Amino acid sequence: MTDPISHDPATTPEVASEERRVPSSQPILLRAVTVGGIAAVVVTVVMSVIGWCVDGGTGLASGALGSVSAFVFLGVTAASILVSNFFVQSDFYVVIFFGLVLGSWILKFVLFIVAALLLKDQPWINPTMFFISVIVGVLASLLVDVFVVAKSRVPYVGDLSKDRAV
Amino acid sequence: MSVLAEVSGNIATVGYGLAAIGPAIGVGIVVGKTIEGVARQPELQGKLQVLMWIGIAFTEALAFIGIATYFIFTK
């Protein structure tokens, strides 16, 4: 007579460690961060060139800083969900998840307000160019997010193993 | 003509306060509904996470642009 408990994959340590599972959203978030990084480089270069044409070195710095800050601050959301999903096996997953996601959310806004106060009166910043770069960066980041989600295929039920791509 | 009330400083800060109400309510609804959804159907956690993320991205973008208006609305 076989013992059902000893053959249960969930109770076998080596099988449980091999089948480390993450939520099925993980590949999509990873792709969003990756594609967002590539888009950030492209938009930063474009806005820097436009800034250089408009206001020389000051415009270049403003264009680069504006677009980089937009992509970084909007990318933090996906990155924080991505990181917190690694703790999905933990008993404190819900606490860790919302602590990281909403904690990073409030932190980035505080940082951006402080950055705005510090940068506003700097002589090497063109405020109008900075603002336009932020708008362009935000719109480009949202476009990337929409593109990634529209192209994603999430299984209706269940989670994926760690190495499976969607 | 007598002045009954006077506002000193930049009125744009009041505008940002008003602009922040929408994203605050939006993110609250998105996260709250995701919690409800996962509580009802835990197996949908991954799918709901993606929807929550795209919802947060769009609502927080408004707040982000609102803060950035500091660069053009102040002298």
Side-chain angles (χ1 to χ4, degrees):
Chain A
M1 182 178 174
T2 57
D3 182 8
I5 296 175
S6 62
H7 294 285
D8 185 3
T11 57
T12 311
E14 60 272 18
V15 174
S17 61
E18 284 173 8
E19 292 186 356
R20 181 186 173 190
R21 290 179 180 276
V22 290
S24 54
S25 59
Q26 199 77 338
I28 297 157
L29 296 168
L30 192 60
R31 187 182 296 162
V33 172
T34 310
V35 178
I38 296 168
V41 173
V42 173
V43 171
T44 301
V45 170
V46 170
M47 290 312 295
S48 301
V49 171
I50 293 173
W52 175 264
C53 295
V54 171
D55 198 12
T58 305
L60 187 146
S62 306
L65 267 176
S67 50
V68 164
S69 59
F71 271 96
V72 167
F73 284 111
L74 287 183
V76 162
T77 305
S80 62
I81 299 174
L82 196 67
V83 170
S84 59
N85 277 344
F86 286 115
F87 300 95
V88 72
Q89 305 282 0
S90 169
D91 292 336
F92 297 102
Y93 172 64
V94 175
V95 178
I96 294 170
F97 181 84
F98 285 108
L100 279 174
V101 174
L102 299 181
S104 63
W105 191 87
I106 195 77
L107 188 65
K108 74 183 171 188
F109 276 106
V110 170
L111 286 177
F112 187 58
I113 291 170
V114 171
L117 291 172
L118 292 177
L119 289 175
K120 177 70 170 60
D121 296 325
Q122 296 298 323
W124 46 274
I125 284 289
N126 181 334
T128 307
M129 190 64 213
F130 186 91
F131 178 73
I132 292 171
S133 297
V134 167
I135 299 288
V136 171
V138 166
L139 291 179
S141 176
L142 290 178
L143 279 175
V144 167
D145 293 351
V146 168
F147 174 78
V148 169
V149 171
K151 288 285 184 184
S152 66
R153 296 291 179 266
V154 188
Y156 185 71
V157 184
D159 293 337
L160 294 175
S161 57
K162 190 184 177 186
D163 55 344
R164 183 175 166 190
V166 173
Chain B
M1 182 178 171
S2 61
V3 177
L4 296 177
E6 183 179 317
V7 176
S8 62
N10 195 331
I11 197 70
T13 54
V14 179
Y16 172 67
L18 293 172
I21 293 173
I25 294 173
V27 170
I29 290 175
V30 167
V31 175
K33 291 294 179 184
T34 304
I35 295 170
E36 279 182 17
V38 174
R40 288 173 192 271
Q41 288 179 279
E43 69 274 14
L44 281 180
Q45 180 185 356
K47 201 173 183 69
L48 292 176
Q49 258 186 13
V50 174
L51 300 176
M52 182 188 80
W53 160 64
I54 195 79
I56 289 178
F58 271 84
T59 46
E60 79 179 354
L62 297 173
F64 197 68
I65 291 171
I67 297 174
T69 54
Y70 172 69
F71 283 90
I72 57 166
F73 287 159
T74 54
K75 297 289 183 186

